[in-house]
Amino acid sequence: MMLENTAFSAFLERFPEDVQLILREMIPSYQQGYLDYVYQTDKPEIQARRIKNLVKNFRMMDYTFVMSLPQDLALEIVSDWQYPPGFTELLDPIQSELLDAEAREGRDFAVILNGRLLGHFRLDKTDKGMLLYLALKPKYIGQGWGPRFYQTIEDFLVKQGKIRQITVMSRITYHQVFFQNQGFEKTSDMDPYLVKSL
């Protein structure tokens, strides 16, 4: 998803092609923030200096973080994310609630990688901890982003300090192997649940 306006298009043209690609992938609120930052001043020399600094910083970026899932990203997930066969269980249980701000409150989060949406997760309370639903953005499946996506979520949960155990559910062998590689253990051979203590 990208801002659709002439001001942002003109803004992009001021950057080298490699940085244009980075900016195009960023979530709209980031795009707008950088646009506003550069044009806070009318002085071309200050704008040029800010762009030069952004180019340098964008080329060195390597961060992830978690934020509450805003409405525009929830809409993108529901409208645009198309999974290959066998991956539909990732969003099916929660998709109907994603566009409801009250239902998302404190439960649905976005994982951001260098300003772009890497994936989404939801936490539901259980008697032993939290049930975790997670969905990597379809375009990143099979590209090696899964472990970093999951680790960002786990780091976020550990930092919160309130959760001692998380549970995931999957009937798909590929997903179960992924979770086992992240330290989860199956509760039984017949059960689709895997658990991990934090």
Side-chain angles (χ1 to χ4, degrees):
M1 188 179 291
M2 185 174 89
L3 283 179
E4 301 286 337
N5 65 45
T6 54
F8 187 72
S9 296
F11 177 64
L12 272 178
E13 293 299 317
R14 297 185 68 178
F15 289 87
E17 284 186 33
D18 63 317
V19 176
Q20 287 182 27
L21 294 173
I22 294 168
L23 273 166
R24 278 190 182 99
E25 290 286 317
M26 287 185 177
I27 61 176
S29 60
Y30 276 44
Q31 293 171 343
Q32 187 65 54
Y34 289 121
L35 176 76
D36 293 346
Y37 166 69
V38 169
Y39 292 118
Q40 278 177 336
T41 179
D42 293 332
K43 297 180 180 177
E45 67 277 4
I46 295 175
Q47 291 176 2
R49 188 169 56 242
R50 288 179 176 179
I51 287 173
K52 181 179 178 182
N53 286 331
L54 288 175
V55 167
K56 177 181 163 189
N57 290 329
F58 288 166
R59 287 178 172 159
M60 296 186 317
M61 276 192 312
D62 187 28
Y63 72 92
T64 54
F65 82 98
V66 173
M67 64 186 252
S68 294
L69 185 68
Q71 186 69 22
D72 62 333
L73 298 183
L75 182 60
E76 175 187 337
I77 291 166
V78 170
S79 302
D80 300 342
W81 288 20
Q82 301 296 317
Y83 285 97
F87 280 77
T88 57
E89 79 173 4
L90 294 173
L91 281 177
D92 286 350
I94 61 172
Q95 192 155 2
S96 63
E97 295 181 345
L98 276 180
L99 296 179
D100 181 344
E102 283 186 36
R104 284 195 321 267
E105 183 80 28
R107 297 171 67 200
D108 289 283
F109 301 89
V111 175
I112 304 298
L113 169 70
N114 299 334
R116 63 186 182 206
L117 179 60
L118 182 61
H120 157 265
F121 70 96
R122 169 176 277 187
L123 295 169
D124 281 332
K125 290 182 182 181
T126 68
D127 56 343
K128 293 184 181 180
M130 289 287 187
L131 182 59
L132 173 67
Y133 298 91
L134 63 160
L136 188 65
K137 191 170 186 174
K139 72 187 260 176
Y140 299 123
I141 291 174
Q143 296 184 15
W145 289 108
R148 184 157 183 196
F149 171 59
Y150 171 74
Q151 192 60 54
T152 300
I153 295 168
E154 184 177 304
D155 292 348
F156 171 78
L157 297 175
V158 168
K159 189 174 182 181
Q160 301 299 306
K162 300 174 187 172
I163 300 169
R164 293 186 299 270
Q165 182 179 24
I166 53 176
T167 304
V168 294
M169 192 274 304
S170 181
R171 298 184 199 309
I172 300 170
T173 304
Y174 173 81
H175 295 155
Q176 291 177 356
V177 170
F178 169 80
F179 288 120
Q180 288 171 326
N181 288 340
Q182 308 314 308
F184 284 81
E185 297 178 1
K186 290 187 76 167
T187 55
S188 77
D189 287 338
M190 301 303 292
D191 196 0
Y193 293 96
L194 295 95
V195 297
K196 181 176 184 179
S197 296
L198 299 179

